[in-house]
Amino acid sequence: MEIFTADFLGSLLSIVVIDLVLAGDNAILIGLAARNLPAGQRKKVILWGTLGAIIIRAIATFAFVYLLKIPGLLLAGGLILLWIAYRLLTDNKEHDVKSGTSMMSAIRTIIIADAVMGLDNVLAVAGAAHGSILLVTLGLLISIPIVVWGSTIILKFIDRYPVIIVIGAAILAWTAAKMIVKEPFLKPYFKEEWITYTFELAAVILVTGIGYFRKKHQSRRKVIEQN
């Protein structure tokens, strides 16, 4: 993929939005894991915990870039991303992260929790990068300040403007659809451009539409239960 082309910039924008929507939520675990430590130790825990988490995420992301070249995995990854996009719209996420009582236990908690919670981010970034190591690297560089400094700001924006979640889910669904249409053994079904674009648009509309109405139904039911 050539640098500064429309495809490159579009993929980079997708990665930025994916990081904003997914990595921001993962960042909360850092504060939760370090909340019981003395103030003087928190900065060190955040620094080393984040560094360890970023290294694990970098290794996983580069691994996914190559794994997605295995026949069938683009389809599997695309289907998983469609589910992640749907869950992003319908889940009420609650963080239950054990707070560390020492620096090492807090750092260990951050690294392990991020490795588990960050799988969606890793798969999404690898899919949006379309095999470009440069895009993966840029995506990781973008995610670092988001994870370390941006979580509180991002979550405030998401609470104030819920449409950000819908946009993020739409981009995830679009990324998933693009992964599926690039699956080698499915190429005969997507020879015509209009079929490809129709499939991608349908994936976005179905995931965001079903997810949005499911979320409204959940909210309505919660209000009824409270009353």
Side-chain angles (χ1 to χ4, degrees), residues 89 211-222:
L89 288 168
Y212 175 76
F213 286 110
R214 174 67 176 169
K215 182 68 173 178
K216 285 190 70 174
H217 175 71
Q218 288 175 338
S219 300
R220 194 179 299 117
R221 188 172 63 183
K222 186 179 291 186

Side-chain angles (χ1 to χ4, degrees), residues 151-161:
S151 61
T152 303
I153 297 172
I154 292 164
L155 290 174
K156 284 182 180 178
F157 269 101
I158 288 174
D159 288 338
R160 185 174 297 180
Y161 307 106

